[in-house]
Every structure is written in structure tokens, then in C-alpha cells.
PDB file of all heavy atoms in Angstrom:
ATOM      1  N   ILE A   1      -5.989  -1.063  65.420  1.00  0.00           N
ATOM      2  CA  ILE A   1      -4.674  -1.363  65.999  1.00  0.00           C
ATOM      3  C   ILE A   1      -3.761  -0.141  65.899  1.00  0.00           C
ATOM      4  O   ILE A   1      -3.066   0.197  66.860  1.00  0.00           O
ATOM      5  CB  ILE A   1      -4.056  -2.600  65.310  1.00  0.00           C
ATOM      6  CG1 ILE A   1      -4.854  -3.849  65.674  1.00  0.00           C
ATOM      7  CG2 ILE A   1      -2.592  -2.764  65.690  1.00  0.00           C
ATOM      8  CD1 ILE A   1      -4.483  -5.072  64.864  1.00  0.00           C
ATOM      9  N   TYR A   2      -3.780   0.541  64.766  1.00  0.00           N
ATOM     10  CA  TYR A   2      -2.960   1.744  64.580  1.00  0.00           C
ATOM     11  C   TYR A   2      -3.332   2.812  65.605  1.00  0.00           C
ATOM     12  O   TYR A   2      -2.461   3.411  66.235  1.00  0.00           O
ATOM     13  CB  TYR A   2      -3.140   2.283  63.159  1.00  0.00           C
ATOM     14  CG  TYR A   2      -2.592   3.667  62.958  1.00  0.00           C
ATOM     15  CD1 TYR A   2      -1.225   3.877  62.841  1.00  0.00           C
ATOM     16  CD2 TYR A   2      -3.441   4.771  62.894  1.00  0.00           C
ATOM     17  CE1 TYR A   2      -0.714   5.149  62.665  1.00  0.00           C
ATOM     18  CE2 TYR A   2      -2.942   6.040  62.730  1.00  0.00           C
ATOM     19  CZ  TYR A   2      -1.585   6.234  62.609  1.00  0.00           C
ATOM     20  OH  TYR A   2      -1.087   7.491  62.450  1.00  0.00           O
ATOM     21  N   LYS A   3      -4.635   3.072  65.790  1.00  0.00           N
ATOM     22  CA  LYS A   3      -5.064   4.085  66.753  1.00  0.00           C
ATOM     23  C   LYS A   3      -4.690   3.680  68.174  1.00  0.00           C
ATOM     24  O   LYS A   3      -4.313   4.524  68.978  1.00  0.00           O
ATOM     25  CB  LYS A   3      -6.573   4.303  66.651  1.00  0.00           C
ATOM     26  CG  LYS A   3      -7.015   4.995  65.385  1.00  0.00           C
ATOM     27  CD  LYS A   3      -6.476   6.384  65.264  1.00  0.00           C
ATOM     28  CE  LYS A   3      -7.250   7.316  66.146  1.00  0.00           C
ATOM     29  NZ  LYS A   3      -6.856   8.720  66.009  1.00  0.00           N
ATOM     30  N   SER A   4      -4.778   2.406  68.482  1.00  0.00           N
ATOM     31  CA  SER A   4      -4.420   1.931  69.813  1.00  0.00           C
ATOM     32  C   SER A   4      -2.933   2.147  70.091  1.00  0.00           C
ATOM     33  O   SER A   4      -2.557   2.611  71.166  1.00  0.00           O
ATOM     34  CB  SER A   4      -4.785   0.460  69.943  1.00  0.00           C
ATOM     35  OG  SER A   4      -4.357  -0.054  71.167  1.00  0.00           O
ATOM     36  N   VAL A   5      -2.094   1.811  69.117  1.00  0.00           N
ATOM     37  CA  VAL A   5      -0.652   2.001  69.279  1.00  0.00           C
ATOM     38  C   VAL A   5      -0.327   3.483  69.376  1.00  0.00           C
ATOM     39  O   VAL A   5       0.471   3.910  70.222  1.00  0.00           O
ATOM     40  CB  VAL A   5       0.112   1.334  68.113  1.00  0.00           C
ATOM     41  CG1 VAL A   5       1.574   1.730  68.104  1.00  0.00           C
ATOM     42  CG2 VAL A   5      -0.025  -0.180  68.188  1.00  0.00           C
ATOM     43  N   LYS A   6      -0.960   4.296  68.547  1.00  0.00           N
ATOM     44  CA  LYS A   6      -0.713   5.734  68.564  1.00  0.00           C
ATOM     45  C   LYS A   6      -1.118   6.340  69.906  1.00  0.00           C
ATOM     46  O   LYS A   6      -0.380   7.144  70.484  1.00  0.00           O
ATOM     47  CB  LYS A   6      -1.480   6.406  67.432  1.00  0.00           C
ATOM     48  CG  LYS A   6      -1.238   7.885  67.327  1.00  0.00           C
ATOM     49  CD  LYS A   6      -2.022   8.492  66.178  1.00  0.00           C
ATOM     50  CE  LYS A   6      -1.851   9.990  66.165  1.00  0.00           C
ATOM     51  NZ  LYS A   6      -2.758  10.628  65.209  1.00  0.00           N
ATOM     52  N   ASN A   7      -2.289   5.958  70.425  1.00  0.00           N
ATOM     53  CA  ASN A   7      -2.745   6.485  71.708  1.00  0.00           C
ATOM     54  C   ASN A   7      -1.858   6.023  72.855  1.00  0.00           C
ATOM     55  O   ASN A   7      -1.599   6.777  73.786  1.00  0.00           O
ATOM     56  CB  ASN A   7      -4.192   6.068  71.969  1.00  0.00           C
ATOM     57  CG  ASN A   7      -5.167   6.849  71.131  1.00  0.00           C
ATOM     58  OD1 ASN A   7      -4.867   7.945  70.664  1.00  0.00           O
ATOM     59  ND2 ASN A   7      -6.337   6.286  70.909  1.00  0.00           N
ATOM     60  N   SER A   8      -1.372   4.792  72.807  1.00  0.00           N
ATOM     61  CA  SER A   8      -0.508   4.317  73.883  1.00  0.00           C
ATOM     62  C   SER A   8       0.840   5.028  73.860  1.00  0.00           C
ATOM     63  O   SER A   8       1.426   5.282  74.904  1.00  0.00           O
ATOM     64  CB  SER A   8      -0.323   2.808  73.816  1.00  0.00           C
ATOM     65  OG  SER A   8       0.402   2.445  72.667  1.00  0.00           O
ATOM     66  N   LYS A   9       1.325   5.365  72.678  1.00  0.00           N
ATOM     67  CA  LYS A   9       2.584   6.110  72.592  1.00  0.00           C
ATOM     68  C   LYS A   9       2.421   7.533  73.097  1.00  0.00           C
ATOM     69  O   LYS A   9       3.356   8.110  73.640  1.00  0.00           O
ATOM     70  CB  LYS A   9       3.092   6.135  71.151  1.00  0.00           C
ATOM     71  CG  LYS A   9       3.704   4.832  70.714  1.00  0.00           C
ATOM     72  CD  LYS A   9       4.283   4.936  69.306  1.00  0.00           C
ATOM     73  CE  LYS A   9       4.897   3.615  68.883  1.00  0.00           C
ATOM     74  NZ  LYS A   9       5.436   3.694  67.505  1.00  0.00           N
ATOM     75  N   GLU A  10       1.234   8.104  72.937  1.00  0.00           N
ATOM     76  CA  GLU A  10       0.970   9.460  73.414  1.00  0.00           C
ATOM     77  C   GLU A  10       0.587   9.480  74.891  1.00  0.00           C
ATOM     78  O   GLU A  10       0.403  10.537  75.469  1.00  0.00           O
ATOM     79  CB  GLU A  10      -0.141  10.097  72.583  1.00  0.00           C
ATOM     80  CG  GLU A  10       0.261  10.380  71.155  1.00  0.00           C
ATOM     81  CD  GLU A  10      -0.881  10.937  70.322  1.00  0.00           C
ATOM     82  OE1 GLU A  10      -2.011  11.043  70.846  1.00  0.00           O
ATOM     83  OE2 GLU A  10      -0.636  11.267  69.157  1.00  0.00           O
ATOM     84  N   GLY A  11       0.457   8.324  75.499  1.00  0.00           N
ATOM     85  CA  GLY A  11       0.137   8.249  76.918  1.00  0.00           C
ATOM     86  C   GLY A  11      -1.347   8.316  77.218  1.00  0.00           C
ATOM     87  O   GLY A  11      -1.733   8.499  78.364  1.00  0.00           O
ATOM     88  N   LYS A  12      -2.183   8.187  76.231  1.00  0.00           N
ATOM     89  CA  LYS A  12      -3.623   8.219  76.453  1.00  0.00           C
ATOM     90  C   LYS A  12      -4.104   6.826  76.842  1.00  0.00           C
ATOM     91  O   LYS A  12      -3.665   5.841  76.289  1.00  0.00           O
ATOM     92  CB  LYS A  12      -4.350   8.657  75.183  1.00  0.00           C
ATOM     93  CG  LYS A  12      -4.046  10.060  74.759  1.00  0.00           C
ATOM     94  CD  LYS A  12      -4.792  10.401  73.493  1.00  0.00           C
ATOM     95  CE  LYS A  12      -4.443  11.780  72.997  1.00  0.00           C
ATOM     96  NZ  LYS A  12      -5.103  12.066  71.713  1.00  0.00           N
ATOM     97  N   HIS A  13      -5.008   6.794  77.802  1.00  0.00           N
ATOM     98  CA  HIS A  13      -5.600   5.520  78.221  1.00  0.00           C
ATOM     99  C   HIS A  13      -7.040   5.502  77.740  1.00  0.00           C
ATOM    100  O   HIS A  13      -7.873   6.245  78.223  1.00  0.00           O
ATOM    101  CB  HIS A  13      -5.557   5.375  79.736  1.00  0.00           C
ATOM    102  CG  HIS A  13      -6.245   4.151  80.232  1.00  0.00           C
ATOM    103  ND1 HIS A  13      -5.785   2.891  79.977  1.00  0.00           N
ATOM    104  CD2 HIS A  13      -7.367   3.992  80.958  1.00  0.00           C
ATOM    105  CE1 HIS A  13      -6.589   2.012  80.525  1.00  0.00           C
ATOM    106  NE2 HIS A  13      -7.555   2.656  81.133  1.00  0.00           N
ATOM    107  N   MET A  14      -7.339   4.654  76.773  1.00  0.00           N
ATOM    108  CA  MET A  14      -8.675   4.620  76.193  1.00  0.00           C
ATOM    109  C   MET A  14      -9.406   3.323  76.520  1.00  0.00           C
ATOM    110  O   MET A  14     -10.403   3.002  75.914  1.00  0.00           O
ATOM    111  CB  MET A  14      -8.584   4.770  74.667  1.00  0.00           C
ATOM    112  CG  MET A  14      -7.880   6.028  74.215  1.00  0.00           C
ATOM    113  SD  MET A  14      -8.657   7.544  74.773  1.00  0.00           S
ATOM    114  CE  MET A  14     -10.120   7.523  73.782  1.00  0.00           C
ATOM    115  N   GLY A  15      -8.938   2.566  77.494  1.00  0.00           N
ATOM    116  CA  GLY A  15      -9.517   1.258  77.753  1.00  0.00           C
ATOM    117  C   GLY A  15     -10.788   1.254  78.557  1.00  0.00           C
ATOM    118  O   GLY A  15     -11.463   0.253  78.654  1.00  0.00           O
ATOM    119  N   CYS A  16     -11.162   2.363  79.156  1.00  0.00           N
ATOM    120  CA  CYS A  16     -12.333   2.395  80.011  1.00  0.00           C
ATOM    121  C   CYS A  16     -13.245   3.516  79.569  1.00  0.00           C
ATOM    122  O   CYS A  16     -12.858   4.669  79.615  1.00  0.00           O
ATOM    123  CB  CYS A  16     -11.909   2.607  81.459  1.00  0.00           C
ATOM    124  SG  CYS A  16     -13.269   2.605  82.612  1.00  0.00           S
ATOM    125  N   ALA A  17     -14.427   3.181  79.171  1.00  0.00           N
ATOM    126  CA  ALA A  17     -15.373   4.196  78.730  1.00  0.00           C
ATOM    127  C   ALA A  17     -16.679   4.024  79.486  1.00  0.00           C
ATOM    128  O   ALA A  17     -17.168   2.927  79.651  1.00  0.00           O
ATOM    129  CB  ALA A  17     -15.609   4.083  77.231  1.00  0.00           C
ATOM    130  N   GLY A  18     -17.233   5.105  79.963  1.00  0.00           N
ATOM    131  CA  GLY A  18     -18.520   5.056  80.630  1.00  0.00           C
ATOM    132  C   GLY A  18     -18.417   4.719  82.098  1.00  0.00           C
ATOM    133  O   GLY A  18     -17.354   4.771  82.705  1.00  0.00           O
ATOM    134  N   CYS A  19     -19.526   4.384  82.671  1.00  0.00           N
ATOM    135  CA  CYS A  19     -19.629   4.142  84.107  1.00  0.00           C
ATOM    136  C   CYS A  19     -19.919   2.686  84.413  1.00  0.00           C
ATOM    137  O   CYS A  19     -20.801   2.369  85.203  1.00  0.00           O
ATOM    138  CB  CYS A  19     -20.726   5.029  84.695  1.00  0.00           C
ATOM    139  SG  CYS A  19     -20.367   6.772  84.554  1.00  0.00           S
ATOM    140  N   SER A  20     -19.212   1.794  83.773  1.00  0.00           N
ATOM    141  CA  SER A  20     -19.489   0.381  83.997  1.00  0.00           C
ATOM    142  C   SER A  20     -18.979  -0.101  85.343  1.00  0.00           C
ATOM    143  O   SER A  20     -19.493  -1.060  85.888  1.00  0.00           O
ATOM    144  CB  SER A  20     -18.863  -0.458  82.883  1.00  0.00           C
ATOM    145  OG  SER A  20     -17.465  -0.330  82.916  1.00  0.00           O
ATOM    146  N   GLY A  21     -17.950   0.524  85.876  1.00  0.00           N
ATOM    147  CA  GLY A  21     -17.401   0.102  87.151  1.00  0.00           C
ATOM    148  C   GLY A  21     -16.489  -1.097  87.032  1.00  0.00           C
ATOM    149  O   GLY A  21     -16.015  -1.613  88.027  1.00  0.00           O
ATOM    150  N   ASN A  22     -16.213  -1.551  85.827  1.00  0.00           N
ATOM    151  CA  ASN A  22     -15.381  -2.731  85.635  1.00  0.00           C
ATOM    152  C   ASN A  22     -13.914  -2.405  85.461  1.00  0.00           C
ATOM    153  O   ASN A  22     -13.085  -3.289  85.448  1.00  0.00           O
ATOM    154  CB  ASN A  22     -15.859  -3.514  84.407  1.00  0.00           C
ATOM    155  CG  ASN A  22     -17.223  -4.096  84.617  1.00  0.00           C
ATOM    156  OD1 ASN A  22     -17.589  -4.436  85.729  1.00  0.00           O
ATOM    157  ND2 ASN A  22     -17.991  -4.206  83.553  1.00  0.00           N
ATOM    158  N   CYS A  23     -13.577  -1.156  85.302  1.00  0.00           N
ATOM    159  CA  CYS A  23     -12.204  -0.756  85.020  1.00  0.00           C
ATOM    160  C   CYS A  23     -11.592  -0.151  86.274  1.00  0.00           C
ATOM    161  O   CYS A  23     -12.031   0.892  86.729  1.00  0.00           O
ATOM    162  CB  CYS A  23     -12.190   0.251  83.868  1.00  0.00           C
ATOM    163  SG  CYS A  23     -10.538   0.749  83.399  1.00  0.00           S
ATOM    164  N   GLY A  24     -10.593  -0.797  86.827  1.00  0.00           N
ATOM    165  CA  GLY A  24      -9.996  -0.339  88.070  1.00  0.00           C
ATOM    166  C   GLY A  24      -9.177   0.911  87.946  1.00  0.00           C
ATOM    167  O   GLY A  24      -8.985   1.646  88.907  1.00  0.00           O
ATOM    168  N   SER A  25      -8.680   1.236  86.753  1.00  0.00           N
ATOM    169  CA  SER A  25      -7.816   2.402  86.604  1.00  0.00           C
ATOM    170  C   SER A  25      -8.588   3.671  86.314  1.00  0.00           C
ATOM    171  O   SER A  25      -7.998   4.735  86.219  1.00  0.00           O
ATOM    172  CB  SER A  25      -6.796   2.143  85.493  1.00  0.00           C
ATOM    173  OG  SER A  25      -7.449   2.001  84.258  1.00  0.00           O
ATOM    174  N   CYS A  26      -9.902   3.600  86.169  1.00  0.00           N
ATOM    175  CA  CYS A  26     -10.702   4.787  85.879  1.00  0.00           C
ATOM    176  C   CYS A  26     -11.307   5.330  87.160  1.00  0.00           C
ATOM    177  O   CYS A  26     -11.872   4.579  87.938  1.00  0.00           O
ATOM    178  CB  CYS A  26     -11.817   4.455  84.899  1.00  0.00           C
ATOM    179  SG  CYS A  26     -11.222   4.100  83.258  1.00  0.00           S
ATOM    180  N   GLY A  27     -11.207   6.626  87.352  1.00  0.00           N
ATOM    181  CA  GLY A  27     -11.836   7.261  88.495  1.00  0.00           C
ATOM    182  C   GLY A  27     -13.315   7.467  88.243  1.00  0.00           C
ATOM    183  O   GLY A  27     -14.152   7.115  89.041  1.00  0.00           O
TER     184      GLY A  27
END
């Protein structure tokens, strides 16, 4: 939770990893 809050405050988007194709915000 701490890392998630810290990354969101820094503007990093860590919600999509890999090539699953399920994340609409990832190119």
C-alpha cells in the first residue's frame, strides 16, 4: 500500500505489466 501511494504521488502508473492486453491505458 505504501509503494502504491508513493508511486501514485510521483505520477507513475504501475497497474499494467506485460502484454496481457487487458489494460486499456497501456500502449
Side-chain angles (χ1 to χ4, degrees):
I1 292 170
Y2 167 76
K3 290 297 283 185
S4 175
V5 169
K6 183 180 175 189
N7 285 338
S8 67
K9 284 184 180 179
E10 292 177 357
K12 295 179 183 176
H13 175 67
M14 303 300 289
C16 182
C19 296
S20 64
N22 294 329
C23 183
S25 64
C26 290

